[in-house]
Each structure stands twice: as C-alpha cells, then as structure tokens.
C-alpha cells in the first residue's frame, strides 16, 4: 500500500500526460502550394489548412517556449507575468496582434474549439493533428488554471492596455510594467467567471469523451480522464463563484479591460456555463438552471451574432444537443429545435438583423465592422453543427449550403480573390496586423517599415474586408488585418468538418498568383481605423477630373437644350397670337 501511495503522483502524471507530438513535426507549406489542386480522401489541402490554423496558436504563445516549438522566429517572452501578484502567470496566449493576455476572449476561444472538437474531432484524427490540438488546448487551459489560483479568484487581464497599444515591436523587449488584474468576491465579474467555467466544462467533455449524438458527431481521440476531472473541478468552482458573488460585468471591477474586451452582459454567460456543466456532470438541476436563465433574461432576443461577447445564438443549438444526448437532463429537444431553426431560418431567408454584402458575406452593421469575417464564420459553424439535427432534409440542405457559401467566401470566393487565411495561397494577406510577425519597431511607420512583413504567421484568420467587400492589406487597418485567437476558432471547427466530409479542395486552390493585385482597390477602407473612407468607394484624382469634365459638358448640353426649347415655345406663342 505504501509503495502504491508513493507511485500515485507518478501514475496521475502519466494518465494526465498529453499526446506525444509527431516527429518530424508538421510545418506549413509555402503559400504557393495553396494554388495547386489536390486529390484524395481525406483531402490534402483541407488537411494542410487545418494544420496551419492550429499552427497559428503556437505563434501566439507567451512565456517560456518548449523544446518542441515550431515557430523559429518566436522567443521566450513575458516570463515575469504575475510576479506583482506573487504568482506565476507566465504562459498562455497573446490575445491578438499585440501582447496583452485577456481571459474572457481566451475562455470563449477554448470553449468554441473544444465544442467543435467534440462535434467534428475525427477531422483532427484523419489529418494527424490531434496531438497538436491537445498541445494547443493544454497551453491555454493550463494557463487558465494558473489564473484561477483559488475558488473565488480569477485573473482576467495581464498587461497594460495603454502601454501595449503604444508598442509596436518584437517579443524580446515588451514594455513593463505588466500588471495583473483579478476578479474576486469583493470585486466580482459574473461574465468572466462563468465564461471560464464554460471553457473548462466544454474541454472536460472533450477529454472525457462525453459525446453528443454519436450517429452525427465524432470526437477527437485525445481522451484523458484525469485531465478531464481536473478541468471539471475548475468549472464547478468557477460556476459557484459566478452564481454566489454579486452579479455584474467584469469591467466594473477591472476598468482597464473595458476598451479592449468590455462585456455587454453576463446573463448569456451564466446560461452557457450552466448548460455545459449540466452535460459534464449529467445534472438535470443545472440544465433547468440554464433554461431558467434563458427565460428569465429573455436570451431569445439576443439573436444577432455569436462571438466572445454574445453567446445567445448558440444556446438553443447546445440545448438541443444536450437534450438529444442525455436522458438524465430531461431536456425538451423539440422546444430547442424550434428555437434554433427560428434563428437559422431567419439568416438563410434574409430576415435576420444581418444582410448579405454585394459579394456574398453575411454582415451585421456594428458587430461586423471591427472583424467582418467573424460573425459570418461563427454563423457557418453553428449551422454546420446544427444541420444533423434539422427537422427536415430541406432545412439541413439549406443550412449546409449557406455555411459553405461563407466558408468559400473566407477562402477566396469573393470580389477581392483573397483567401483571408495568412499563408494559405499566394493571394493571402501579406501584411497582417501582428506586432509579433511584422518585424517593425515604430507604430508611426507601421505600414512602411518594413516594406514586407518579416515573418509569415501561417494559419492566421484576419478580420476581413470592409462592408463594401474591399480589402486593402494595410497593417494599420486593424479591423481588416488584425489576427486574434477567437478569429481562428470557428474556422478550425469548419476545417475539421471538411477533412471528414469533403474530398473537394478548398476554394483557394483555384486562385493563381496575382489574382488579388488585379482587383486591389484604390482609396481608403471604410472601418474604425479609416472612418473617412466610409462614403463609399473613392475615385482616383484623374477619375475625379474626368468625372468633373463629363458633368460640366452634360450640364452645358442640358442648359442649351432647355434654352432652345424655351425659344421654340415662345416663338410658337408669338405666331399664335399674331395669326397667319
């Protein structure tokens, strides 16, 4: 017995150990390979895209990099994070094109990826990317556990947003100080605590192999019961913290995060946390709690976009999945099927609060302005996830068709001929807004120094085109070119699904080098970085002069015709008056 107790920590470490990484490691191919058609099942180009999308997260790592690091131009960074709080908060991921670490959007990203890998995880297996999925998830989840050092404390921000916004440079000399901000019982944050709980529960489900309907979905094979239980423990304590502390949005306690990732509500986070936890613990009480939140806070009215700040549209779909998969929760599948289809039908039939741009992107004024692809790709992800549960074959077909149109758009079937995933094709973005990859060191010369991006941040999904469908490829144009953890999340799930089910190439293989240059727009974008460009497409100076000349000539012609008409009328009146 004594020997067993001595061996227990070793055994526990063994069962919670992550999957061994491939040798030799996967490395992204040159972008030129994305213009070459492929064949085979699973499709090689979808496999490559899935690998690249995961690779992006490795490029976003903070802390001491492991010996298995594949991104040669990255360095150890922010090793002292958390020291001001007496903790080790090094590690984790930089949130976007800069160097802060923000728990709320990280939690959403991890939740979304784990949910997707529970649905379509077989795609990671077929692509030999499951070990990298495991590696990527643990890098985020292990940090999130460090950020939750006790039951009623969660660190929600590391870094100074003001210093970070003013810094444009590499990862070796980040500006300091990098303060650590927490929520707790005295200064709570319901949304952030509930959001982190949902992430832990969703990922616990994945590692415990708690599938949804197995006839429709196939999880990734990275099951690990010990790790799943550890994640579940954090999920439960965070949910208790979220429900027992004074309920408020977390930026009321941590104003420093307001401009970057301020939350608009906490009610949807509570419902999501309760729902994922109900599945993880097979609890009918938690399922009823989630339904109560949904009804009490009228979350059916949260029917615009699904993203880090708005979980409402995804709730009916998750409710339906849990009700269909677990008899213990006593869920009403038909109720949630109706609710899910009401939301999805409105999008497909053009009756939602979004609209289709002229070149085919689902767009929501306001929500899409700072990252146009994200709402569309999240909608495509929800539709692809729900389609197997659709009430009719026609609805299933319509959802999959619409989802495919948005995936195709993001991968190059758009008016710019740009696949909006860095490194996937010669026409992919060349100048993403990434301080890590740019090679520049002066924010005032962000677009010109260096002339070409120093490093290719493979697999990064960028913000996307403006509402007119135009893409300008400017580093300073952060709404169009910035990279972010949550931008990649829906595309990961969609790519995994395509590895499983699609033997056709992604659209970008049809695009040859130079396609974007032929249609690259002039003038300025229309977005928050360039509001002066929002009066529609701009003409060049020569075109304006030519237009002015044409208008002048047309105007003089019209005046001449009017004068001649008046002359004729007056002449006829005189003749009529004078008689023959």
């Amino acid at each position: 017995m004594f020997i067993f107790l001595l061996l227990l920590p070793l055994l526990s470490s063994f069962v919670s150990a992550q999957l061994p990484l491939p040798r030799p490691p996967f490395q992204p191919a040159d972008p030129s390979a994305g213009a070459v058609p492929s064949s085979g099942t699973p499709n090689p180009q979808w496999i490559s895209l899935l690998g690249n999308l995961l690779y992006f997260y490795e490029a976003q790592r903070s802390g001491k990099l492991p010996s298995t690091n594949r991104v040669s131009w990255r360095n150890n960074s922010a090793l002292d994070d958390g020291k001001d709080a007496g903790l080790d908060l090094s590690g984790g991921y930089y949130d976007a094109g800069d160097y802060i670490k923000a728990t709320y959007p990280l939690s959403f990203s991890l939740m979304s990826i784990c949910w997707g890998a529970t649905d379509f995880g077989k795609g990671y297996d077929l692509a030999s990317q499951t070990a990298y999925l495991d590696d990527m998830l643990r890098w985020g989840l292990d940090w999130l556990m460090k950020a939750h050092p006790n039951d009623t404390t969660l660190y929600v921000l590391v870094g100074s947003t003001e210093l970070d916004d003013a810094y444009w440079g590499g990862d070796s000399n980040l500006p300091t100080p990098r303060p650590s901000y927490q929520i707790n019982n005295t200064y709570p944050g319901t949304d952030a605590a509930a959001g982190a709980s949902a992430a832990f529960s969703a990922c616990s489900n994945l590692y415990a192999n708690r599938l949804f309907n197995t006839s429709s979905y196939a999880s990734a094979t990275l099951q690990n019961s010990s790790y799943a239980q550890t994640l579940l423990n954090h999920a439960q304590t965070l949910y208790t913290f979220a429900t027992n502390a004074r309920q408020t949005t977390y930026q009321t306690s941590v104003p420093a995060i307001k401009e970057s990732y301020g939350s608009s509500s906490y009610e949807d986070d509570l419902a999501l946390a309760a729902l994922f936890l109900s599945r993880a613990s097979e609890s009918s009480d938690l399922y009823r709690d989630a339904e109560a939140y949904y009804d009490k806070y009228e979350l059916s009215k949260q029917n615009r976009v699904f993203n880090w700040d708005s979980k409402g549209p995804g709730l009916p779909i998750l409710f339906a999945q849990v009700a269909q998969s677990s008899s213990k929760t006593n869920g009403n599948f038909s109720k949630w099927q109706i609710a899910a289809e009401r939301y999805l039908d409105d999008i497909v039939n053009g009756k939602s609060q979004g609209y289709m741009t002229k070149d085919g992107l689902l767009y929501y004024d306001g929500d899409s302005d700072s990252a146009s692809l994200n709402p569309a790709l999240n909608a495509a992800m929800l539709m692809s996830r729900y389609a197997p549960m659709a009430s009719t074959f026609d609805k299933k077909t319509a959802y999959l068709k619409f989802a495919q149109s948005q995936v195709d758009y993001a991968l190059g079937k758009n008016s710019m001929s740009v696949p909006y995933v860095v490194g996937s094709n010669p026409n992919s973005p060349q100048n993403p807004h990434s301080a890590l990859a740019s090679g520049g060191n002066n924010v005032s010369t962000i677009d010109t120094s260096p002339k070409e991006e120093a490093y290719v941040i493979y697999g990064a999904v960028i913000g996307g085109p403006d509402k007119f469908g135009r893409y300008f490829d400017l580093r300073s144009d952060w709404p169009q070119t910035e990279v972010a953890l949550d931008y990649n999340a829906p595309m990961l799930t969609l790519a995994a699904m395509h590895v499983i089910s699609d033997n056709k190439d992604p659209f970008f293989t049809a695009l040859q080098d130079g396609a974007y240059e032929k249609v690259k727009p002039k003038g300025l974008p229309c977005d928050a970085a360039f509001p002066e460009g929002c009066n529609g497409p701009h003409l060049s100076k020569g075109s304006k002069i030519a237009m002015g000349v044409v208008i002048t000539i047309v105007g003089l012609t019209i005046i001449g015709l009017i004068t001649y008409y008046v002359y004729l009328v007056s002449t006829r009146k005189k003749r009529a008056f004078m008689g023959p």
Side-chain angles (χ1 to χ4, degrees):
M1 182 66 179
F2 179 71
I3 294 175
F4 174 77
L5 291 174
L6 288 176
L7 291 175
L8 187 59
L10 181 61
L11 292 171
S12 176
S13 175
F14 176 76
V15 292
S16 64
Q18 70 182 67
L19 298 176
L21 295 170
R23 284 286 177 261
F26 170 88
Q27 287 287 349
D30 186 85
S32 61
V36 180
S38 69
S39 61
T41 304
N43 181 276
Q45 288 286 6
W46 281 110
I47 287 175
S48 178
L49 178 62
L50 183 64
N52 287 3
L53 292 164
L54 278 173
Y55 182 91
F56 161 73
Y57 287 93
E58 202 159 313
Q60 292 293 113
R61 284 179 170 178
S62 178
K64 182 175 175 57
L65 302 180
S67 60
T68 54
N69 171 52
R70 295 178 290 164
V71 188
S72 61
W73 44 271
R74 281 301 321 280
N75 302 288
N76 296 334
S77 59
L79 299 180
D80 291 335
D81 280 357
K83 279 194 173 181
D84 61 321
L87 296 171
D88 174 15
L89 293 178
S90 64
Y93 291 107
Y94 297 121
D95 71 302
D98 47 25
Y99 295 101
I100 65 168
K101 295 190 295 197
T103 298
Y104 193 47
L106 170 66
S107 295
F108 175 81
S109 301
L110 293 171
M111 177 278 296
S112 177
I113 295 166
C114 284
W115 188 8
T118 306
D119 291 334
F120 304 113
K122 183 181 177 182
Y124 294 97
D125 290 352
L126 293 173
S128 299
Q129 290 290 325
T130 303
Y132 289 117
L133 171 67
D134 185 27
D135 192 39
M136 181 272 289
L137 289 174
R138 287 172 184 263
W139 194 267
L141 291 166
D142 289 353
W143 182 84
L144 200 56
M145 284 189 264
K146 291 201 293 185
H148 180 220
N150 61 59
D151 291 356
T152 58
T153 301
L154 178 69
Y155 283 84
V156 295
L157 172 65
V158 178
S160 165
T161 55
E162 291 183 2
L163 285 176
D164 197 65
D165 286 343
Y167 176 73
W168 187 256
D171 57 6
S172 295
N173 297 292
L174 302 186
T176 55
R178 289 176 57 81
S180 309
Y181 298 89
Q182 63 171 272
I183 56 171
N184 50 48
N185 272 330
T186 306
Y187 299 99
T190 313
D191 38 13
S197 174
F200 281 127
S201 289
C203 295
S204 176
N205 289 339
L206 174 64
Y207 279 95
N209 200 30
R210 296 186 200 100
L211 305 181
F212 296 114
N213 189 324
T214 55
S215 64
S216 304
Y217 307 102
S219 180
T221 54
L222 44 63
Q223 286 70 52
N224 188 306
S225 59
S226 176
Y227 195 59
Q229 185 58 51
T230 299
L231 298 176
L232 181 57
N233 293 341
H234 281 275
Q236 290 169 329
T237 55
L238 280 162
Y239 181 72
T240 300
F241 172 37
T243 54
N244 287 351
R246 178 174 54 86
Q247 294 187 343
T248 182
T249 54
Y250 78 123
Q251 66 265 21
T252 59
S253 297
V254 183
I257 196 64
K258 183 177 181 180
E259 293 303 317
S260 299
Y261 289 106
S263 168
S264 59
S265 65
Y266 59 80
E267 297 86 354
D268 53 338
D269 294 288
L270 281 173
L272 189 72
L275 190 50
F276 267 120
L277 195 53
S278 77
R279 177 59 178 148
S281 57
E282 295 287 355
S283 169
S284 59
D285 289 341
L286 285 167
Y287 190 88
R288 285 194 293 271
D289 284 349
E291 289 188 309
Y293 291 135
Y294 192 87
D295 293 336
K296 176 183 178 180
Y297 298 121
E298 299 181 314
L299 295 178
S300 62
K301 294 181 180 179
Q302 198 179 93
N303 59 356
R304 283 174 61 85
V305 302
F306 180 70
N307 62 18
W308 62 265
D309 186 39
S310 173
K311 286 71 172 197
L315 288 170
I317 295 168
L318 183 57
F319 270 118
Q321 283 185 306
V322 176
Q324 188 184 59
S325 307
S326 175
S327 58
K328 294 182 180 180
T329 55
N330 298 316
N332 185 338
F333 173 72
S334 297
K335 170 187 175 180
W336 296 108
Q337 187 182 50
I338 291 169
E341 292 184 4
R342 184 185 302 118
Y343 172 72
L344 299 178
D345 287 349
D346 281 350
I347 295 176
V348 169
N349 297 324
K351 297 179 180 179
S352 72
Q353 296 183 49
Y355 60 90
M356 304 305 293
T357 64
K358 290 182 179 179
D359 67 340
L361 181 66
L362 176 63
Y363 198 97
Y364 293 83
D365 283 330
D367 289 298
S368 298
D369 293 346
S370 60
S372 62
L373 291 175
N374 192 244
L377 289 175
N378 275 319
M381 178 185 66
L382 292 179
M383 287 189 183
S384 299
R385 169 175 292 127
Y386 179 78
M389 299 184 289
S391 60
T392 69
F393 178 78
D394 287 345
K395 284 181 182 288
K396 175 181 179 180
T397 302
Y399 299 152
L400 291 176
K401 181 179 179 181
F402 188 91
Q404 186 63 52
S405 74
Q406 299 308 287
V407 173
D408 285 345
Y409 186 101
L411 298 183
K413 194 175 183 180
N414 53 63
S415 59
M416 296 285 96
S417 294
V418 173
Y420 292 109
V421 182
V422 177
S424 62
N425 177 275
N427 298 284
S428 291
Q430 302 297 307
N431 293 291
H433 182 97
S434 168
L436 279 165
S438 76
N441 56 19
N442 188 339
V443 71
S444 65
T445 58
I446 186 173
D447 287 323
T448 56
S449 178
K451 185 177 181 180
E452 296 181 357
E453 201 97 349
Y455 310 106
V456 180
I457 189 164
Y458 284 99
V461 177
I462 63 163
D466 67 13
K467 64 173 60 182
F468 300 114
R470 304 171 303 166
Y471 175 68
F472 292 80
D473 203 33
L474 298 170
R475 285 184 212 123
S476 61
D477 188 20
W478 57 265
Q480 290 202 7
T481 59
E482 188 159 21
V483 303
L485 302 178
D486 61 302
Y487 294 177
N488 268 52
M491 187 60 90
L492 259 179
T493 294
L494 291 162
M497 184 194 77
H498 278 273
V499 170
I500 298 170
S501 60
D502 197 349
N503 59 9
K504 297 178 182 177
D505 283 336
F507 184 84
F508 55 67
T509 61
L511 299 173
Q512 297 305 304
D513 194 1
Y516 169 59
E517 287 299 323
K518 293 177 181 177
V519 295
K520 187 174 182 178
K522 306 292 184 182
L524 297 173
C526 170
D527 52 42
F530 291 92
E532 64 271 31
C534 289
N535 295 320
H538 290 250
L539 296 172
S540 65
K541 183 175 181 181
S543 297
K544 290 179 180 178
I545 294 172
M547 182 67 76
V549 172
V550 170
I551 291 173
T552 301
I553 293 173
V554 171
L556 291 172
T557 301
I558 292 172
I559 292 171
L561 290 171
I562 292 173
T563 302
Y564 181 63
Y565 174 76
V566 172
Y567 168 75
L568 289 177
V569 171
S570 62
T571 301
R572 285 175 181 168
K573 286 183 177 179
K574 285 180 180 180
R575 287 178 179 174
F577 178 76
M578 296 175 65

